[in-house]
Amino acid sequence: MLRKGLLFTFLISVLVLAACGQSDTKWDEVQEAGEIVAGTSGTLIAASYYTEEDELTGYDVEVMREIASRLDLEVKFEIMGIDSMLPALDSRIDVAVNDIEATDKRKEKFNFSDPYKYSYSTMVVREDDYSGINSLEDLEGKKAGGGATTIYSQIAEHFGAEVVTYGNAPNEAYLSDVNTGRTDVIVNDYYLSKFGVGAFPDFDIMLHPNLKFHPTEQAVVMPKDATKLQEKINEVLAEMREDGTLTELAKQFYGEDASQRPEGEIEEIEGLDL
């Protein structure tokens, strides 16, 4: 009986050690390579985009560069569409940084860092008539431009909109379609929408002035078992928050401190399974 008890204890210990070993694998791989591979789109103005000189930059990109630098790692960015980014964590990339919201459902499949950005959702609509939208319920029957797997498309569908999907298209394609009437609305992050609209002043589009909903937290995404990597990234993000680096980068790219929770009343949406 004693022998069985010792054997059971030994097996439990082996399983625990194996689990710990698995959780450290990603960090060991990254350290050995001296490089962390980050998936991003390169198409989100202010978050991840290319300058006129064809240089990749943006808030998410520069936050990731700073994280890698403080971990004594190089960073390599893999450009891909948002719909393929999370699946790529199983093979092609180590982390994903693309204004990705940390939701309960996603946390079941992936590890997330502490948030480096806080925001909420709003809509891009036509300026002349708000695209006939004055409430979330008015999304019913409208055409909403968006990625197939984004939270914003799920919100649009939740209220009855038809989602028109894109590949890894630039902001201009989404915004132009609202302008021309091919679509009616884009449900998206406040900061990204603000800079997207500002980049195309000749389009008949604007941020909806009255709709603020679905508060969000954006974070670095990594494989589910990458607990050591998660711990290391969180340590660096805490340093960056403490020394003001996150605030500085947020103001550089957004003109506001997106690293802090936004003020004001933001409507929560009931019944979403995100």
Side-chain angles (χ1 to χ4, degrees):
M1 192 72 174
L2 178 60
R3 182 176 295 178
K4 288 183 178 179
L6 290 172
L7 179 60
F8 178 77
T9 302
F10 173 75
L11 289 173
I12 291 296
S13 300
V14 169
L15 290 172
V16 169
L17 288 172
C20 291
Q22 286 178 346
S23 69
D24 290 347
T25 299
K26 178 57 70 176
W27 172 242
D28 291 342
E29 290 174 356
V30 166
Q31 275 196 306
E32 184 176 348
E35 177 184 76
I36 189 164
V37 181
T40 195
S41 69
T43 60
L44 288 177
I45 294 175
S48 171
Y49 66 100
Y50 283 93
T51 65
E52 292 181 358
E53 292 75 31
D54 202 33
E55 295 178 356
L56 182 66
T57 190
Y59 180 58
D60 290 55
V61 170
E62 300 306 331
V63 166
M64 192 64 233
R65 284 195 172 118
E66 185 66 17
I67 289 171
S69 175
R70 296 192 188 200
L71 291 175
D72 295 321
L73 298 169
E74 298 294 323
V75 59
K76 175 185 177 183
F77 290 99
E78 287 281 346
I79 304 302
M80 59 186 66
I82 183 62
D83 292 335
S84 59
M85 205 171 293
L86 295 184
L89 285 165
D90 293 330
S91 54
R92 293 175 54 191
I93 60 177
D94 301 313
V95 297
V97 284
N98 201 69
D99 205 68
I100 299 173
E101 182 181 346
T103 67
D104 290 340
K105 201 165 186 177
R106 285 174 174 169
K107 287 177 181 178
E108 294 174 1
K109 298 180 179 180
F110 305 99
N111 275 5
F112 283 80
S113 72
D114 293 334
Y116 58 80
K117 175 171 173 270
Y118 297 92
S119 189
Y120 59 88
S121 303
T122 186
M123 300 184 198
V124 176
V125 293
R126 283 184 288 278
E127 190 168 5
D128 57 357
D129 63 350
Y130 299 170
S131 298
I133 299 171
N134 293 293
S135 68
L136 285 164
E137 287 72 21
D138 289 337
L139 283 170
E140 185 170 2
K142 297 294 191 296
K143 291 184 177 181
T149 63
T150 66
I151 300 302
Y152 308 108
S153 290
Q154 291 181 54
I155 291 173
E157 289 178 328
H158 178 77
F159 287 97
E162 173 192 345
V163 175
V164 178
T165 60
Y166 298 71
N168 194 29
N171 292 63
E172 183 175 5
Y174 291 83
L175 298 167
S176 176
D177 282 354
V178 176
N179 175 57
T180 62
R182 179 173 181 263
T183 58
D184 301 299
V185 62
I186 301 167
V187 179
N188 210 331
D189 173 79
Y190 159 70
Y191 292 104
L192 300 183
S193 298
K194 182 181 79 167
F195 273 80
V197 169
F200 300 97
D202 293 335
F203 288 176
D204 174 35
I205 56 175
M206 66 180 295
L207 288 187
H208 201 292
N210 304 321
L211 298 179
K212 297 170 62 174
F213 51 93
H214 186 60
T216 59
E217 297 179 355
Q218 284 73 28
V220 181
V221 197
M222 61 208 84
K224 186 63 177 176
D225 61 356
T227 54
K228 188 68 173 180
L229 179 60
Q230 180 189 42
E231 176 186 317
K232 292 293 184 180
I233 290 176
N234 281 343
E235 288 174 359
V236 170
L237 283 173
E239 292 174 2
M240 293 169 65
R241 186 172 295 281
E242 180 67 25
D243 66 23
T245 302
L246 283 181
T247 293
E248 181 181 341
L249 287 173
K251 288 183 176 180
Q252 176 184 343
F253 288 100
Y254 293 119
E256 302 178 52
D257 191 358
S259 72
Q260 304 292 329
R261 294 184 186 276
E263 298 179 352
E265 186 176 343
I266 301 171
E267 181 182 352
E268 296 273 6
I269 300 175
E270 301 295 333
L272 289 177
D273 183 19
L274 303 178

